[in-house]
Amino acid sequence: MENVKINGLIAAPFTPFDDKGEVDHSIFKEYADFLADTHFEYVFVNGTLAEGMSLTVAERKATAKAWVNSGKGRLKVIVHVGTNCLKDSQELAKHAEEIGAFAIAALTPSYHKPENEECMVEYMAQLAAVAPKTPFYYYDINFATGVYINCSKFLKLAKDRIPTLCGLKHSSRELPSAHGCTLVEGGKYQVLFGTDVQYLSCLVLGMSEVVAAPVLGNLFHEIKKAFDKGDLETARSLQCKAQRLNEIKDRHGGGINIAKSMFTILSGLEMGSVRLPLRALTLDERKRLKTDLETAGFLDIAKPK
Amino acid sequence: MENVKINGLIAAPFTPFDDKGEVDHSIFKEYADFLADTHFEYVFVNGTLAEGMSLTVAERKATAKAWVNSGKGRLKVIVHVGTNCLKDSQELAKHAEEIGAFAIAALTPSYHKPENEECMVEYMAQLAAVAPKTPFYYYDINFATGVYINCSKFLKLAKDRIPTLCGLKHSSRELPSAHGCTLVEGGKYQVLFGTDVQYLSCLVLGMSEVVAAPVLGNLFHEIKKAFDKGDLETARSLQCKAQRLNEIKDRHGGGINIAKSMFTILSGLEMGSVRLPLRALTLDERKRLKTDLETAGFLDIAKPK
Amino acid sequence: MENVKINGLIAAPFTPFDDKGEVDHSIFKEYADFLADTHFEYVFVNGTLAEGMSLTVAERKATAKAWVNSGKGRLKVIVHVGTNCLKDSQELAKHAEEIGAFAIAALTPSYHKPENEECMVEYMAQLAAVAPKTPFYYYDINFATGVYINCSKFLKLAKDRIPTLCGLKHSSRELPSAHGCTLVEGGKYQVLFGTDVQYLSCLVLGMSEVVAAPVLGNLFHEIKKAFDKGDLETARSLQCKAQRLNEIKDRHGGGINIAKSMFTILSGLEMGSVRLPLRALTLDERKRLKTDLETAGFLDIAKPK
Amino acid sequence: MENVKINGLIAAPFTPFDDKGEVDHSIFKEYADFLADTHFEYVFVNGTLAEGMSLTVAERKATAKAWVNSGKGRLKVIVHVGTNCLKDSQELAKHAEEIGAFAIAALTPSYHKPENEECMVEYMAQLAAVAPKTPFYYYDINFATGVYINCSKFLKLAKDRIPTLCGLKHSSRELPSAHGCTLVEGGKYQVLFGTDVQYLSCLVLGMSEVVAAPVLGNLFHEIKKAFDKGDLETARSLQCKAQRLNEIKDRHGGGINIAKSMFTILSGLEMGSVRLPLRALTLDERKRLKTDLETAGFLDIAKPK
């Protein structure tokens, strides 16, 4: 599996819910169109923005399947299989392999926490082993899980224990840690930084593949184009746009509920609300968010061109 | 449901695993005997010490059923139904009601975190509602979940929203917060402090019912007896014993893996290992733990008399 | 110094400031009267409630001196000498010995943090050594300093390194840790729990000497009296009063600024405002605090009788 | 003061101590030579690496003076004046203005913590006001102080309250927050990122001026040169060198004690040990550090050429 390299933008899509809070399967086709039309080539599904942890195992399987089906020929699907329970994660991993997912990824259990990198490797080895033909990415998001490990050390220890390991999704916000991981074993592992605001900083360090909110396809595509041409000024000014977009999100609270509404507003695809324990926005909150996006001139920023 | 009051010691039993890491259903009868014979009258099952979060929904149901069956006539069963996913928790709650559990309890989702007490109430209301005939206890263990709310405020807000609410299991280590909860609404709610070392401090504050590790039945029974007689000196000296027992646990690492081995050693009931991501103890670690317990004269402390 | 035992209630007084934010030296006599008249026998000065860290070394010396002078014959003075800088702390410790302080105490530097218990012992040994005739107490308040050490381990390691060590002021809120410290070396060290709400829990564990906010003299005196007579019901109901008083403080924000205003209101001694970076209360906030205290019937609770 | 812009590399030098732990004033001349000869144009003195918080006010004044004197004509001096006590900081600020420092900077008090951005502005306004002719930089290092504020909000609120405010030293490791600050008020404020490993990421975002460990002059100079020429490949490979240097530091513990020894080894200037509560390295630890640096081929990396 040495040669698997992801090459292209990765979206972390929200899970669409209908009025009753059930996954809205009617929208996936259109959703995949939207992502493909805004320069995404991969989707990282059932992750954090997708509220994957608030879905049952059955719902996660159905959602993964829906993405594989509707992404066919356009979007490669990375299925997030992390849970608090190894058996559940193994079931999800096996299923992902069966339905032909491009790859799987998993975050650590976070209620019971592995006490060190060795335990993490052991856990992930037993998880990855049930999907022996599918590339595996460790997903680190320490501020959300409360589990702080040394990712470089994880990679070194995992090398001989997880044959399918291809890299990690690094959403810790700590660029130097991510950069350090790209230096392990002569660059054997690919680091997919999870970020809405540090794309240019990643590019300059040689980490071209990032996982981003699904509103950012156009913008990140433009940043990459400018960067590849050596036009750093343009790249920087586009990166500032991403920063300003993010600041609007933060000003309204900054949570997944806000990010999801922002996507509905900017994409025109109705994502519905969030599941508890996240808080549903009021109509008024949603309206104010839209007004701010409009004032900033961002209403068309995410639309296919 | 106003009048439900728990009255007696509550054990938080470990889940017994066999050599393959599966729940060992052959031991529950003997296990229940042991607990009843060491002065426990309630069991709080599938909780933190039980690694409930590392079990699948199906395993949790089977375990809850096993406790209800083997506890019959001796132990009342409180089933912990907390997970990261409301639907899973609802399924567990419904099942608990069907099998005749005495009560249910739930901790907060901890990957996605409720942003305030109002969201927590909303979540718990939707959970408790599916088991309308079963007393409900909110389970707060903030240092493990990373969710810090004001428990008194939760109780006040929940009063009109959760008709089955009878109190909370307060495992935050913060005695004043727990004590404060006993003063809400004129003492309407019962506070079950989760503790291995603060029993005497609870008793003196009028919080007689606590949830404790299953090695502590004899010791806590003796503490209560001495306290009820007004013999504080004896009570204090027994409490020091509990403190010393706990210090041995901490000296060896303090985790659930240690606590579980300690129970195997002191009860004679083989609990097996822990599940990943917790770390299995080596034989050598287990041996050293036993030696320390022996040296301290604790080998018979938990045995039925 | 083996036999130094504190025996009596310890107040942690606020530092009085005048309109210009300077220490108000005109009030110390009256202040000492108040404390002595409400059953305090010791004062712990220049500590956290006193905003000791917001005073210059010169101001701290002057304040310590003022307390020693005005306390003479009534109040024994424990001078807090902790700072971020060993040399400053040594200067304060030497001065405390010169002016005849009963004891000194020090918290850890908290900007640069000692990496383990050994470093802490080394630091405190070099500090205590400059006041070789004055009892020394280590002051642990981990949630404020961000330094989390094992206090029992500290005591064991310090035994042969700090000849003047008599115990610790334990303000960590963690009763079991404090209780554990009383068991070290056969009870050699005295543990002064810092608390406004856990007095009864301390008493039942044999920790009779606590450091408390200066409004609590009467109340804690009554709790002790009831406890000593074996009247736990009365003791508990008085402890509930302390809990309710504390809840009012918390409802208004819970900070030192609130606690200080509360003392002004309940004692009749004008403490003035707090120093930056703490926030001065508005007149309106102070008024609302007073109203709440009045409504709860607490206006006379702290007054000498 | 609108037009003050720092333009050039800023070193954060360690404070040299002699065998007795006193500031070694004999070395400043040579020290300034070294820094100027390795492309630094500014020094940020008495800060975190310098153990400024472990120095008395008198020592900090003397050290600031020594830097101003020995830097004359080569290095502009930014004096860090942050402490836990406003009066101490004001004294240091006044002194810095008197001795002709280029600028002052201050971190927040961290024992008593300002409760919000407004309190922080009020504190810093009263501090900056005593040095009305000297540019002021707010110094944010949240992981060390435990004070987490929104720096952009601070800048906006401070605009009309601190006439000397020129920007901030942002050592929080959070690049997006720093980047956001550069967008406030149309770029009015300069952001000096404090970093040993994110220089290239800063450059690409237009934040050219950074504060770095004094070993990094040559390396950062080369990175800037390559970046300015548009040679990103070279810049990246030099940035990897900085990353590897930092990983050696981390492997040996990562603290200021290690960083300081590393500087002694790589510069040839004897910095002496660290002050308590930091732990002095053993000779053996220092030797092993040197071996690792040698093996990695880094022994000449910091030397003037």
Side-chain angles (χ1 to χ4, degrees):
Chain A
M1 223 160 272
E2 301 271 328
N3 299 319
V4 173
K5 284 279 172 210
I6 285 174
N7 184 15
L9 267 180
I10 308 161
F14 301 95
T15 301
F17 292 126
D18 64 21
D19 286 355
K20 286 170 182 146
E22 301 299 321
V23 179
D24 178 5
H25 280 274
S26 73
I27 207 176
F28 280 95
K29 207 86 199 161
E30 201 184 346
Y31 202 163
D33 286 340
F34 174 86
L35 294 174
D37 291 349
T38 57
H39 308 284
F40 286 110
E41 301 180 47
Y42 298 79
V43 281
F44 182 93
V45 311
N46 290 337
T48 300
L49 290 184
E51 299 168 80
M53 307 300 260
S54 301
L55 305 178
T56 65
V57 167
E59 288 176 325
R60 285 172 74 159
K61 285 184 185 174
T63 304
K65 187 100 176 72
W67 278 112
V68 168
N69 286 346
S70 43
K72 215 153 269 175
R74 301 176 289 179
L75 295 168
K76 295 193 181 98
V77 180
I78 306 164
V79 180
H80 175 247
V81 302
T83 66
N84 263 327
C85 169
L86 180 54
K87 285 194 171 193
D88 283 344
S89 288
Q90 287 173 327
E91 186 177 338
L92 291 168
K94 251 186 264 185
H95 177 262
E97 181 155 302
E98 283 162 21
I99 62 173
F102 173 78
I104 57 172
L107 51 66
T108 179
S110 58
Y111 187 73
H112 296 301
K113 296 178 168 65
E115 69 184 47
N116 55 31
E117 287 81 4
E118 283 78 4
C119 291
M120 186 73 90
V121 168
E122 187 58 30
Y123 184 94
M124 294 299 165
Q126 295 205 15
L127 169 47
V130 303
K133 296 175 198 151
T134 307
F136 178 77
Y137 295 83
Y138 167 62
Y139 173 19
D140 193 88
I141 180 165
N142 50 25
F143 63 89
T145 61
V147 176
Y148 290 78
I149 66 160
N150 181 322
C151 287
S152 290
K153 189 172 175 192
F154 173 86
L155 291 175
K156 284 173 207 160
L157 289 170
K159 187 173 154 274
D160 297 322
R161 296 277 295 118
I162 310 181
T164 53
L165 184 66
C166 290
L168 44 77
K169 180 183 175 208
H170 200 300
S171 299
S172 80
R173 301 174 183 155
E174 297 157 18
L175 206 47
S177 162
H179 184 212
C181 290
T182 67
L183 307 180
V184 171
E185 301 287 330
K188 180 183 168 72
Y189 297 111
Q190 192 170 22
V191 177
L192 314 169
F193 204 64
T195 182
D196 294 350
V197 278
Q198 306 209 47
Y199 189 35
L200 187 53
S201 306
C202 286
L203 285 174
V204 80
L205 292 170
M207 296 187 288
S208 306
E209 271 49 68
V210 299
V211 183
V215 288
L216 292 167
N218 290 336
L219 204 48
F220 277 23
H221 177 71
E222 293 298 321
I223 290 175
K224 179 100 177 7
K225 227 167 62 184
F227 181 83
D228 285 346
K229 282 197 305 205
D231 180 0
L232 292 190
E233 199 141 338
T234 300
R236 191 180 303 143
S237 116
L238 291 161
Q239 181 65 57
C240 286
K241 245 186 180 168
Q243 177 77 21
R244 286 208 179 88
L245 190 60
N246 206 56
E247 284 174 6
I248 292 175
K249 190 185 79 185
D250 284 350
R251 205 156 58 231
H252 286 262
I256 292 172
N257 49 1
I258 294 292
K260 194 169 185 177
S261 275
M262 193 182 271
F263 179 65
T264 293
I265 294 167
L266 297 183
S267 70
L269 298 169
E270 179 58 55
M271 288 294 111
S273 190
V274 288
R275 280 197 175 171
L276 284 167
L278 298 182
R279 187 176 62 78
L281 296 193
T282 62
L283 274 181
D284 195 52
E285 286 177 300
R286 199 158 156 172
K287 213 181 285 175
R288 272 183 281 140
L289 177 61
K290 189 172 177 183
T291 303
D292 266 21
L293 289 166
E294 197 164 10
T295 306
F298 284 152
L299 281 192
D300 291 324
I301 205 172
K303 299 266 169 67
K305 269 146 201 172
Chain B
M1 222 159 271
E2 300 270 328
N3 298 319
V4 173
K5 284 279 171 207
I6 285 174
N7 185 16
L9 266 179
I10 309 162
F14 301 94
T15 301
F17 292 126
D18 65 21
D19 285 355
K20 285 170 181 146
E22 300 299 322
V23 179
D24 179 3
H25 280 273
S26 73
I27 208 176
F28 280 95
K29 207 87 197 161
E30 203 183 344
Y31 203 164
D33 285 341
F34 173 86
L35 295 174
D37 292 350
T38 56
H39 307 284
F40 285 110
E41 301 180 46
Y42 297 80
V43 280
F44 182 93
V45 311
N46 289 336
T48 300
L49 290 184
E51 299 168 80
M53 307 301 262
S54 300
L55 305 179
T56 65
V57 167
E59 288 176 324
R60 285 171 75 159
K61 285 183 186 175
T63 305
K65 188 98 176 71
W67 278 112
V68 167
N69 286 346
S70 43
K72 215 153 269 175
R74 299 176 290 178
L75 295 168
K76 296 195 180 94
V77 181
I78 306 164
V79 179
H80 175 245
V81 302
T83 67
N84 263 326
C85 168
L86 180 54
K87 285 193 171 195
D88 283 344
S89 288
Q90 287 173 326
E91 187 176 339
L92 291 168
K94 253 186 264 185
H95 178 261
E97 180 156 303
E98 283 162 21
I99 62 173
F102 172 77
I104 57 173
L107 51 66
T108 179
S110 59
Y111 187 72
H112 296 301
K113 295 177 170 66
E115 70 184 44
N116 54 32
E117 286 82 3
E118 282 79 4
C119 291
M120 186 72 90
V121 168
E122 187 58 30
Y123 184 94
M124 294 299 164
Q126 296 204 15
L127 169 46
V130 303
K133 295 176 200 149
T134 308
F136 178 77
Y137 295 83
Y138 168 61
Y139 173 19
D140 193 88
I141 180 164
N142 50 26
F143 63 90
T145 60
V147 176
Y148 290 79
I149 66 158
N150 180 323
C151 287
S152 289
K153 188 171 175 190
F154 172 86
L155 291 176
K156 284 173 207 160
L157 290 170
K159 185 172 156 274
D160 298 323
R161 296 278 294 117
I162 310 181
T164 53
L165 184 67
C166 291
L168 44 76
K169 180 184 175 208
H170 199 300
S171 299
S172 80
R173 298 172 184 158
E174 297 156 19
L175 205 48
S177 161
H179 183 210
C181 290
T182 67
L183 307 182
V184 171
E185 300 288 329
K188 178 181 169 72
Y189 297 111
Q190 191 170 23
V191 177
L192 313 168
F193 205 63
T195 182
D196 293 351
V197 278
Q198 305 208 48
Y199 189 35
L200 187 52
S201 306
C202 287
L203 284 175
V204 80
L205 292 170
M207 297 186 288
S208 305
E209 270 51 65
V210 300
V211 184
V215 288
L216 292 167
N218 290 335
L219 204 47
F220 277 23
H221 177 71
E222 293 297 321
I223 290 175
K224 179 102 178 6
K225 227 167 62 186
F227 180 83
D228 285 346
K229 280 195 305 200
D231 180 1
L232 293 190
E233 199 141 335
T234 300
R236 191 180 303 143
S237 116
L238 292 161
Q239 182 65 57
C240 286
K241 245 185 180 169
Q243 177 77 21
R244 286 209 180 86
L245 189 61
N246 206 55
E247 284 174 5
I248 292 177
K249 190 185 78 184
D250 284 351
R251 205 157 58 230
H252 286 261
I256 292 171
N257 49 1
I258 294 293
K260 194 170 184 176
S261 276
M262 192 181 275
F263 179 65
T264 293
I265 294 167
L266 298 184
S267 70
L269 298 169
E270 178 58 55
M271 288 295 111
S273 190
V274 288
R275 281 198 174 168
L276 282 166
L278 298 182
R279 187 176 63 77
L281 296 193
T282 62
L283 273 182
D284 197 50
E285 286 176 301
R286 200 160 156 171
K287 212 180 286 174
R288 272 183 282 140
L289 176 61
K290 188 172 179 185
T291 304
D292 267 20
L293 290 166
E294 197 164 11
T295 307
F298 285 152
L299 281 193
D300 291 324
I301 205 171
K303 299 266 171 66
K305 271 149 199 171
Chain C
M1 222 160 273
E2 300 271 328
N3 299 319
V4 173
K5 284 280 173 208
I6 284 173
N7 185 16
L9 267 181
I10 308 162
F14 301 95
T15 301
F17 292 127
D18 64 21
D19 286 354
K20 285 171 183 144
E22 300 299 323
V23 179
D24 179 3
H25 280 273
S26 72
I27 207 176
F28 280 96
K29 207 84 197 163
E30 203 184 345
Y31 203 164
D33 285 341
F34 173 86
L35 295 174
D37 291 349
T38 56
H39 307 284
F40 285 110
E41 300 180 47
Y42 298 80
V43 280
F44 183 93
V45 310
N46 290 337
T48 300
L49 290 184
E51 298 167 80
M53 307 301 261
S54 300
L55 306 178
T56 65
V57 167
E59 287 177 324
R60 285 171 74 158
K61 285 184 186 175
T63 304
K65 187 97 175 74
W67 278 112
V68 167
N69 286 345
S70 43
K72 214 153 271 175
R74 299 177 290 179
L75 295 168
K76 295 194 180 96
V77 180
I78 306 163
V79 179
H80 175 246
V81 302
T83 67
N84 264 326
C85 169
L86 180 54
K87 285 194 171 195
D88 283 344
S89 288
Q90 287 172 326
E91 186 176 339
L92 290 168
K94 251 186 265 184
H95 177 262
E97 180 155 303
E98 282 161 22
I99 62 173
F102 172 77
I104 56 173
L107 51 67
T108 178
S110 60
Y111 187 72
H112 296 301
K113 296 178 169 65
E115 70 184 45
N116 54 31
E117 286 81 4
E118 282 79 3
C119 291
M120 186 72 90
V121 168
E122 187 57 30
Y123 184 94
M124 293 300 163
Q126 295 205 14
L127 170 46
V130 304
K133 295 174 200 152
T134 307
F136 177 78
Y137 295 84
Y138 168 62
Y139 173 21
D140 193 88
I141 180 165
N142 50 25
F143 63 90
T145 60
V147 176
Y148 290 79
I149 66 159
N150 181 322
C151 288
S152 289
K153 189 172 175 190
F154 172 85
L155 291 175
K156 284 173 207 160
L157 290 169
K159 187 172 154 275
D160 297 323
R161 295 278 294 119
I162 309 181
T164 53
L165 185 67
C166 290
L168 43 77
K169 181 185 174 205
H170 200 299
S171 299
S172 79
R173 299 173 183 157
E174 298 157 18
L175 205 49
S177 161
H179 184 211
C181 290
T182 67
L183 307 181
V184 171
E185 300 288 328
K188 180 183 168 70
Y189 297 111
Q190 192 170 23
V191 178
L192 313 168
F193 204 63
T195 182
D196 293 351
V197 278
Q198 306 209 47
Y199 190 34
L200 186 53
S201 307
C202 286
L203 284 175
V204 80
L205 292 170
M207 298 187 288
S208 306
E209 271 50 66
V210 299
V211 183
V215 288
L216 292 167
N218 290 337
L219 205 46
F220 278 23
H221 177 72
E222 294 296 321
I223 290 175
K224 180 99 177 11
K225 227 167 61 185
F227 181 82
D228 286 346
K229 282 195 303 201
D231 180 1
L232 293 189
E233 198 141 336
T234 300
R236 190 180 303 142
S237 116
L238 291 162
Q239 181 66 56
C240 285
K241 245 186 181 168
Q243 177 76 21
R244 286 208 180 88
L245 189 61
N246 205 56
E247 284 174 5
I248 291 176
K249 190 184 78 183
D250 285 350
R251 206 156 58 229
H252 286 261
I256 292 172
N257 49 1
I258 294 292
K260 194 170 185 176
S261 275
M262 193 182 271
F263 180 64
T264 293
I265 293 166
L266 298 184
S267 71
L269 298 169
E270 179 57 55
M271 288 294 111
S273 190
V274 288
R275 281 198 175 169
L276 284 166
L278 298 181
R279 186 176 64 76
L281 296 193
T282 62
L283 273 181
D284 196 50
E285 286 176 301
R286 199 159 156 171
K287 213 180 285 175
R288 271 183 282 141
L289 176 60
K290 189 172 179 185
T291 304
D292 267 21
L293 290 166
E294 197 164 9
T295 306
F298 285 153
L299 281 193
D300 291 324
I301 205 170
K303 299 265 168 68
K305 270 147 199 172
Chain D
M1 222 159 271
E2 301 270 330
N3 298 320
V4 173
K5 284 280 172 208
I6 285 174
N7 185 15
L9 267 180
I10 308 161
F14 301 94
T15 301
F17 292 126
D18 65 21
D19 286 354
K20 286 170 182 145
E22 301 299 322
V23 179
D24 178 4
H25 280 274
S26 72
I27 207 177
F28 280 96
K29 208 86 198 161
E30 202 183 344
Y31 202 164
D33 285 341
F34 173 86
L35 294 174
D37 291 350
T38 57
H39 307 285
F40 285 110
E41 301 180 47
Y42 298 80
V43 280
F44 182 92
V45 311
N46 289 338
T48 301
L49 290 184
E51 298 167 81
M53 306 301 261
S54 300
L55 305 179
T56 65
V57 167
E59 288 177 324
R60 285 171 75 159
K61 285 184 187 175
T63 305
K65 188 97 178 73
W67 278 112
V68 168
N69 286 347
S70 43
K72 215 154 271 176
R74 301 176 288 179
L75 294 169
K76 294 194 181 95
V77 180
I78 306 164
V79 179
H80 175 246
V81 302
T83 67
N84 263 327
C85 169
L86 179 54
K87 285 194 171 194
D88 283 345
S89 288
Q90 287 172 326
E91 186 177 339
L92 290 168
K94 253 187 263 186
H95 177 262
E97 181 155 302
E98 282 162 22
I99 63 174
F102 172 78
I104 56 173
L107 52 66
T108 179
S110 59
Y111 187 72
H112 296 300
K113 296 178 168 65
E115 69 183 47
N116 54 32
E117 287 81 3
E118 282 78 4
C119 291
M120 185 73 90
V121 168
E122 187 57 30
Y123 184 94
M124 293 299 164
Q126 296 204 14
L127 169 46
V130 303
K133 296 177 199 148
T134 307
F136 177 77
Y137 295 83
Y138 168 61
Y139 173 20
D140 193 88
I141 179 165
N142 50 25
F143 63 90
T145 60
V147 177
Y148 289 79
I149 66 160
N150 181 322
C151 287
S152 289
K153 188 171 176 191
F154 172 85
L155 291 175
K156 284 173 208 162
L157 290 170
K159 186 173 155 274
D160 297 323
R161 296 278 294 120
I162 310 181
T164 53
L165 184 68
C166 290
L168 43 77
K169 180 182 175 208
H170 199 301
S171 299
S172 80
R173 299 173 183 156
E174 298 156 18
L175 206 47
S177 161
H179 184 211
C181 290
T182 67
L183 307 182
V184 171
E185 300 286 329
K188 179 181 168 73
Y189 298 111
Q190 193 171 21
V191 177
L192 313 168
F193 204 64
T195 182
D196 293 351
V197 278
Q198 305 209 46
Y199 189 35
L200 187 52
S201 306
C202 286
L203 285 174
V204 80
L205 291 171
M207 297 187 288
S208 306
E209 272 49 67
V210 299
V211 183
V215 288
L216 291 167
N218 290 336
L219 204 48
F220 277 23
H221 177 73
E222 293 297 320
I223 290 175
K224 180 102 179 4
K225 226 166 61 185
F227 180 83
D228 286 345
K229 281 195 304 202
D231 179 1
L232 292 189
E233 199 140 337
T234 300
R236 191 180 303 142
S237 116
L238 291 161
Q239 182 65 57
C240 286
K241 245 186 181 168
Q243 177 78 21
R244 287 208 180 86
L245 189 61
N246 205 57
E247 283 174 5
I248 292 176
K249 190 185 78 183
D250 284 351
R251 205 156 58 231
H252 286 261
I256 291 171
N257 50 1
I258 294 293
K260 194 170 185 176
S261 276
M262 192 181 272
F263 180 64
T264 293
I265 294 166
L266 298 183
S267 70
L269 298 168
E270 179 57 56
M271 289 294 111
S273 190
V274 288
R275 281 197 175 170
L276 283 167
L278 298 181
R279 187 177 63 78
L281 296 193
T282 63
L283 273 180
D284 196 51
E285 286 176 301
R286 199 159 155 171
K287 212 180 286 174
R288 272 182 282 139
L289 176 60
K290 189 174 177 181
T291 304
D292 266 21
L293 289 166
E294 197 165 10
T295 307
F298 285 152
L299 281 192
D300 291 324
I301 205 171
K303 299 266 170 66
K305 271 147 200 172

